[in-house]
């Protein structure tokens, strides 16, 4: 059964992020999307676990998971949103820091202690999967600095991987705001007409001859959620770093450079990650505006 305990905050109808699998939707398809509900498939990639990697050390924001957002630690805010996803059979926080672990246990989260040698969130998820001692078909890596993550996005990437047997990875993208076009902290992506990833970059892609943003082009912003086939996740850390991955400093490029397929869903969602201390006040203002306690 999926985990869905009584949360302290909900994702009301006004904040739902409906999942779009095509480049455009007609009226009938849009109506169907508005009635979107996750339905568990039978027999293929049925069991899913959500892992929230959290580390204390950070060059830009040390102790970020414990930063208070309207009185609650950010990691708790994220965990509460993740627990609303109906596609997940289990949710854990994976950390190498005892302060974070103690905090998470205090609000009821399951915690897996991982090694300080993990180089990134994917490696931390892989270690957590091995230590869980139970088989899962899908592992969703959910960034702990997304306190307003939409549970529908989590359900969407899980469903996308369940429906694409030729893919080993799924993720999400949304419309890129013009002011973020040249922000290297905002990762852009391009997909083919079947919804499979072609490339990710910190630069603007595609990039036209004028060197300017085309206001009529539907640029995509990558959202930091990664959904792995569990068998692939187990070998992922063993894959050698690839040139494009190292140049762009983007983990997902290692998947593409090694010839694996990645499904990308398009969602209607504003990215509200916390990258620096000053972002906390922005998140709090947004939560007050949405009446999220």
């Amino acid at each position: 059964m999926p985990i869905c305990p009584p949360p302290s905050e909900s994702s009301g109808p006004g904040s739902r992020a409906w999942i779009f699998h095509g480049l455009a939707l007609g009226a009938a398809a849009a109506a169907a999307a508005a009635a979107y509900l996750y339905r568990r498939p039978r027999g293929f990639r049925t069991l899913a676990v959500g892992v929230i990697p959290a580390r204390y050390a950070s060059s830009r924001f040390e102790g970020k998971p414990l930063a208070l957002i309207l009185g609650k630690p950010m990691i708790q805010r994220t965990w509460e949103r993740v627990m609303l996803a109906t596609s997940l059979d289990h949710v854990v926080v994976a950390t190498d820091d005892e302060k974070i672990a103690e905090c998470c246990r205090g609000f009821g989260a399951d915690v897996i202690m991982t090694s300080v040698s993990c180089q990134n969130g994917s490696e931390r998820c892989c270690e957590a999967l091995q230590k869980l001692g139970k088989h899962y078909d899908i592992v969703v890596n959910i960034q702990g600095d997304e306190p307003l993550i939409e549970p529908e996005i989590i359900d969407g990437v899980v469903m996308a991987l369940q429906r694409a047997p030729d893919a080993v990875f799924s993720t999400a993208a949304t419309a890129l705001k013009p002011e973020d076009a040249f922000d290297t902290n905002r990762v852009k992506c391009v997909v083919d007409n079947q919804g499979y990833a072609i490339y990710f970059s910190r630069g603007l892609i595609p990039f036209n001859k004028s060197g300017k943003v085309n206001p009529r082009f539907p640029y995509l912003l990558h959202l930091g959620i990664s959904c792995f086939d569990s068998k692939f996740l187990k070998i992922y850390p063993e894959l050698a770093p690839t040139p494009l991955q190292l140049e762009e400093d983007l983990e997902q490029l290692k998947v593409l450079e090694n010839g694996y397929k990645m499904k990308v869903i398009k969602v209607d969602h504003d990215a509200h990650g916390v990258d620096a201390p000053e972002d906390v006040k922005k998140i709090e203002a947004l939560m007050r505006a949405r009446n999220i306690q």
Side-chain angles (χ1 to χ4, degrees):
M1 295 293 291
I3 296 176
C4 192
S8 63
E9 58 193 52
S10 65
S11 149
S15 65
R16 294 181 70 86
W18 304 116
I19 309 303
F20 298 93
H21 291 279
L23 292 176
L25 290 174
Y36 165 80
L37 286 174
Y38 172 80
R39 289 180 175 84
R40 185 176 297 279
R42 296 179 180 178
F44 182 68
R45 291 175 175 165
T46 56
L47 296 177
V49 59
V51 182
I52 308 173
R55 64 190 184 98
Y56 192 88
S58 172
S59 59
R60 288 186 293 177
F61 194 172
E62 187 175 45
K64 181 165 61 171
L66 302 181
L68 294 181
I69 298 179
L70 293 184
K72 289 183 181 180
M74 179 164 55
I75 188 68
Q76 181 177 356
R77 291 284 183 189
T78 302
W79 177 83
E80 288 174 349
R81 300 292 290 178
V82 173
M83 293 295 281
L84 294 172
T86 57
S87 59
L88 300 179
D89 299 274
H90 191 39
V91 177
V92 299
V93 175
T95 185
D96 58 8
D97 185 86
E98 190 55 47
K99 294 185 290 296
I100 293 174
E102 183 179 357
C103 172
C104 292
R105 295 187 187 106
F107 58 74
D110 287 338
V111 178
I112 299 289
M113 297 303 296
T114 53
S115 171
V116 294
S117 64
C118 291
Q119 297 297 306
N120 49 53
S122 299
E123 290 189 9
R124 204 171 298 282
C125 286
C126 181
E127 184 178 340
L129 176 65
Q130 294 170 347
K131 290 185 174 180
L132 277 169
K134 180 179 178 180
H135 172 75
Y136 290 97
D137 304 296
I138 290 175
V139 181
V140 189
N141 176 354
I142 305 146
Q143 292 188 352
D145 58 2
E146 286 276 354
L148 295 180
I149 181 72
E150 296 286 357
E152 292 85 7
I153 294 178
I154 299 170
D155 292 337
V157 295
V158 171
M159 181 185 293
L161 196 57
Q162 289 167 336
R163 292 179 173 179
D166 57 342
V168 298
F169 187 107
S170 63
T171 187
T174 193
L176 177 71
K177 296 178 180 178
E179 60 267 29
D180 292 333
F182 299 105
D183 184 345
T184 56
N185 291 318
R186 297 287 188 246
V187 177
K188 296 81 177 175
C189 69
V190 287
V191 301
D192 67 17
N193 58 13
Q194 298 298 314
Y196 291 93
I198 297 175
Y199 193 66
F200 295 83
S201 179
R202 295 185 179 277
L204 181 64
I205 50 173
F207 194 75
N208 60 52
K209 290 189 294 184
S210 73
K212 299 177 181 179
V213 177
N214 179 355
R216 293 181 297 277
F217 190 87
Y219 299 100
L220 292 176
L221 171 70
H222 179 231
L223 301 177
I225 183 168
S226 306
C227 184
F228 289 89
D229 176 274
S230 63
K231 293 179 182 177
F232 175 71
L233 178 61
K234 290 176 182 177
I235 68 168
Y236 176 83
E238 300 171 7
L239 298 175
T242 55
L244 294 175
Q245 174 202 359
L246 294 174
E247 183 64 19
E248 296 263 15
D249 190 22
L250 295 174
E251 288 182 58
Q252 59 270 32
L253 289 177
K254 184 165 73 167
V255 180
L256 298 181
E257 282 188 90
N258 277 284
Y260 294 98
K261 299 194 76 171
M262 181 186 304
K263 196 74 172 179
V264 180
I265 63 169
K266 298 183 176 116
V267 301
D268 181 13
H269 175 72
D270 283 334
H272 299 296
V274 177
D275 297 318
E278 54 268 24
D279 292 331
V280 171
K281 290 186 177 180
K282 297 176 184 177
I283 291 289
E284 289 181 328
L286 188 59
M287 291 175 67
R288 290 190 184 99
R290 294 183 179 181
N291 199 28
I292 299 175
Q293 303 299 319

